[in-house]
Amino acid sequence: MTSSYAAAAHASATGSLAVPPLLAALSQADRVLIAGAGGGFDVYAGLPLAVALWDRGARVHLANLSFTQLELLELDAWAGPDVAEVTAETRGPDDYFPERTLARWLAAHTLPATVFAFPKVGVQPLRATYHHLVERLQIDAIVLVDGGTDILLRGDEAGLGTPVEDITSLAAVAGLDVPVKLVTCLGFGIDAYHGVVHTQVLENLAALDRERGYLGALSIPGCSREAELYRDAVADAQAATPMRPSIVNGQIAAATRGGFGDVQFTRRTSGSTLFVNPLMAIYFTVELDKLAARCLYLDRIEHTHGMRQVATRIETFRDEITPRAPHAFPH
């Protein structure tokens, strides 16, 4: 990976009004890895972007930090240390296996139908796994995708949401030498249920913008092929996982079809008042290294090998600081 390639990619990412910076940053990338940073169904939030890049002719690979019991997979499913290569035919749990559910949907739509799955490990083994895939697939761009926006929090906010998996992924990829590394978030507002104050998310984006690390917001048009395929994939996943459908992607999918307010689609949210709105269907994108540099506790989790270590070190950090005061939206 040459420095001239990285420089050209960075220059194109500054873009103009005519070309969204997210797509400009990936314009020279031929082999892109889109990976769900926070586990569960996060990889689904990267599907609209993947479809756009596939239609452009890029070779896009999908991956996900998995909540599935990957230890139940057969030996031939493992493609390397801490990475399973999941296809439509992979044997595994029947009740919850988002990566295989997505692989089956992709196969049914004649799209590249492999989803790499990572077990829940610490920064060092996860980085080794990413490095393995980068070398094997000759990746020249990595996009971490978060369903929600808590990956954008630096650590001193009023609430961090569910940071363990997101920040483990962020730290792992920050240590890789890849020309283009981005973080994109879909589902603005969803993390309020986990205590995230979204004025602080906006404050962080503004700070990244001052550092030339914010690549702007990109709305997914509801009538686009990308949105239609995404909604179909989310509906398929809900049917395949009726007891644990994705609350995050269900709300985003509703937003892409013009849903607003308390749009209920699963009994998992009964008793809660949802606020589905157009902001949920917008990609907010930042440069990964600049985001990582702003994380106040990234150095503390650098040498972790298990996610329990990550969780403990985040808790210790939080006990030592005074979070910055939240502010309500003024309008």
Side-chain angles (χ1 to χ4, degrees):
M1 307 299 181
T2 65
S3 58
S4 59
Y5 183 115
H10 177 78
S12 66
T14 60
S16 67
L17 199 59
V19 181
L22 167 57
L23 299 180
L26 297 171
S27 62
Q28 299 187 50
D30 181 55
R31 299 175 179 88
V32 182
L33 178 63
I34 297 177
F41 289 91
D42 261 12
V43 64
Y44 277 77
L47 192 56
L49 177 60
V51 171
L53 295 175
W54 277 323
D55 287 350
R56 192 200 75 189
R59 284 173 276 190
V60 180
H61 303 275
L62 299 176
N64 198 44
L65 186 63
S66 182
F67 290 171
T68 303
Q69 290 181 281
L70 297 178
E71 65 271 16
L72 300 179
L73 302 188
E74 297 178 350
L75 289 177
D76 60 2
W78 293 93
D82 294 318
V83 57
E85 189 169 351
V86 179
T87 68
E89 291 76 33
T90 299
R91 296 181 181 180
D94 292 326
D95 59 335
Y96 183 84
F97 199 168
E99 295 80 16
R100 186 184 59 197
T101 300
L102 179 56
R104 288 175 173 175
W105 181 88
L106 291 165
H109 288 76
T110 62
L111 293 167
T114 296
V115 181
F116 295 97
F118 311 140
K120 295 174 67 175
V121 294
V123 172
Q124 290 296 315
L126 186 58
R127 181 177 297 151
T129 295
Y130 269 105
H131 179 74
H132 170 81
L133 284 183
V134 166
E135 293 296 313
R136 172 184 164 181
L137 303 174
Q138 297 182 295
I139 297 298
D140 48 31
I142 295 178
V143 182
L144 288 185
V145 61
D146 183 24
T149 55
D150 52 359
I151 197 172
L152 300 177
L153 304 179
R154 68 180 208 156
D156 62 349
E157 294 81 5
L160 297 189
T162 54
V164 175
E165 292 83 8
D166 289 323
I167 303 302
T168 299
S169 298
L170 177 66
V173 177
L176 297 177
D177 182 16
V178 178
V180 178
K181 295 183 290 183
L182 306 176
V183 171
T184 194
C185 301
L186 193 63
F188 184 90
I190 285 175
D191 294 315
Y193 179 80
H194 292 291
V196 172
V197 178
H198 285 79
T199 52
Q200 294 184 322
V201 173
L202 295 176
E203 184 181 0
N204 291 353
L205 287 173
L208 283 161
D209 198 15
R210 291 193 296 272
E211 298 169 5
R212 300 295 185 262
Y214 176 46
L215 274 64
L218 177 62
S219 181
I220 303 170
C223 60
S224 65
R225 165 177 157 83
E226 293 89 345
E228 290 173 355
L229 286 173
Y230 170 70
R231 288 192 295 266
D232 189 77
V234 171
D236 175 77
Q238 290 174 344
T241 318
M243 300 305 294
R244 296 175 64 185
S246 173
I247 294 172
V248 170
N249 285 284
Q251 291 181 79
I252 297 168
T256 67
R257 59 174 175 266
F260 184 82
D262 192 17
V263 182
Q264 296 286 338
F265 53 89
T266 172
R267 286 181 294 179
R268 292 184 69 196
T269 58
S270 61
S272 299
T273 301
L274 304 181
F275 184 52
V276 172
N277 65 86
L279 290 176
M280 291 181 174
I282 294 175
Y283 279 122
F284 291 87
T285 305
V286 300
E287 291 187 10
L288 187 146
D289 286 341
K290 291 185 177 179
L291 177 65
R294 288 181 50 79
C295 182
L296 298 174
Y297 57 85
L298 209 69
D299 58 329
R300 300 196 182 201
I301 68 171
E302 170 64 22
H303 299 291
T304 55
H305 290 268
M307 279 203 174
R308 187 170 297 177
Q309 285 179 296
V310 176
T312 299
R313 295 181 187 189
I314 295 175
E315 290 172 5
T316 300
F317 167 79
R318 291 287 287 179
D319 288 341
E320 296 172 359
I321 68 164
T322 300
R324 67 184 197 255
H327 300 281
F329 279 100
H331 47 74

